[in-house]
Amino acid sequence: MKIEFWSDIVCPWCGLMDHRLHLALNRFPHTDQVEVIHRSFQVHPDLPREGVSQRTLIERVGAPAATVDRVLRPIERAAEAEGLTPYRVVDRTLGPTDLAHELLAYASDQGRGNEIWSLMFRAHFGQARKLWTAEEVLDFAAEASLDRTGAAEALRSRRYRARVKADQREAQRLGAHGTPFLVLDGRVAIPGAIGTDDLLAVITKTWAESHPEPQPLPIVSGADGICTPDGCAVPELGTT
């Protein structure tokens, strides 16, 4: 099974869904046959490179101040209840994530995509880490034991920029309007965050539909006879 997971580093529901996906797959009996592919979707590409506070962003988009207590604090409480702590949704800075996504694409080519995605979520939400400038992103790369020289060349050349943009276009083609957005085996889409149990149920159902259990064939009655290891038989005479 292939699970494609579109997300953005600054999306708090995405970080929580990354955690829930790990929890769900730990309970799924066929985890060794599941491939998770993280894909990029930038929610706030136009933020200034120096970043803005979460409260400032709320004001900029014209959302009510009550959004903090009505929407964001409950995400923090949900994360804490699920063992993901600390999880800073309100007291943090947000910025453009293009360079972060390009580093993540580089990490995927190094065979460490899923690991580095999770580490970056923990860095941002666990430490309120800023990951907007090339220097900030490269410092994170070095701490995550990625080759800083290779990562720096990838960011300098911008060779992953097209892939990052293509990821977002593909998500939008599939009907995504935001993040998180998960697609299972190219057949089932999950637009938004759902609980771990519900996620596991969708994964299990999708797997079952793609891997049906063999079923006995319908039996036609009235056959003239049959041979088995115990002998041949006809209905009127019994086994001979």
Side-chain angles (χ1 to χ4, degrees):
M1 172 187 287
K2 180 169 70 173
I3 298 178
E4 296 171 278
F5 182 4
W6 277 268
S7 60
D8 196 0
I9 291 302
V10 295
C11 161
W13 282 120
C14 295
L16 188 52
M17 277 299 287
D18 181 72
H19 180 65
R20 288 173 176 174
L21 181 58
H22 284 291
L23 294 177
L25 290 178
N26 283 341
R27 294 163 53 190
F28 184 59
H30 308 290
T31 296
D32 60 333
Q33 299 179 60
V34 176
E35 178 187 14
V36 177
I37 301 173
H38 281 275
R39 300 198 183 281
S40 297
F41 193 117
Q42 296 179 72
V43 178
H44 298 294
D46 298 325
L47 290 178
R49 189 64 67 183
E50 65 272 16
V52 299
S53 72
Q54 175 64 80
R55 295 178 189 274
T56 298
L57 180 61
I58 289 172
E59 295 173 0
R60 285 190 177 188
V61 300
T67 300
V68 169
D69 293 322
R70 185 174 55 85
V71 177
L72 301 182
R73 292 296 186 196
I75 302 176
E76 292 181 337
R77 291 194 290 271
E80 182 178 5
E82 296 175 33
L84 193 59
T85 185
Y87 199 76
R88 298 179 174 91
V89 176
V90 177
D91 301 317
R92 63 179 176 130
T93 298
L94 294 82
T97 53
D98 53 341
L99 298 178
H101 282 291
E102 289 175 35
L103 177 75
L104 290 164
Y106 168 77
S108 294
D109 280 356
Q110 305 304 306
R112 298 182 60 197
N114 293 341
E115 173 196 359
I116 301 301
W117 270 92
S118 294
L119 286 176
M120 193 174 282
F121 278 130
R122 292 303 300 134
H124 179 59
F125 291 107
Q127 306 167 20
R129 186 79 171 265
K130 297 179 181 180
L131 296 162
W132 327 135
T133 68
E135 195 65 22
E136 290 165 351
V137 170
L138 291 175
D139 285 347
F140 166 83
E143 292 170 20
S145 299
L146 284 168
D147 176 53
R148 186 182 178 115
T149 301
E153 190 281 325
L155 296 188
R156 185 169 53 252
S157 67
R158 306 303 301 268
R159 71 173 186 264
Y160 290 103
R161 179 164 48 183
R163 183 195 298 187
V164 169
K165 291 182 177 181
D167 275 355
Q168 186 145 347
R169 287 195 301 270
E170 177 63 9
Q172 292 166 336
R173 184 189 71 81
L174 294 171
H177 300 289
T179 57
F181 184 74
L182 284 79
V183 173
L184 280 62
D185 266 349
R187 299 167 51 243
V188 177
I190 304 174
I194 61 176
T196 302
D197 290 343
D198 290 336
L199 179 58
L200 178 59
V202 175
I203 292 171
T204 301
K205 182 176 184 294
T206 305
W207 173 274
E209 291 172 351
S210 301
H211 303 79
E213 292 291 332
Q215 299 295 324
L217 296 174
I219 301 298
V220 176
S221 60
D224 289 337
I226 188 171
C227 290
T228 71
D230 296 325
C232 295
V234 294
E236 297 84 359
L237 301 177
T239 302
T240 58

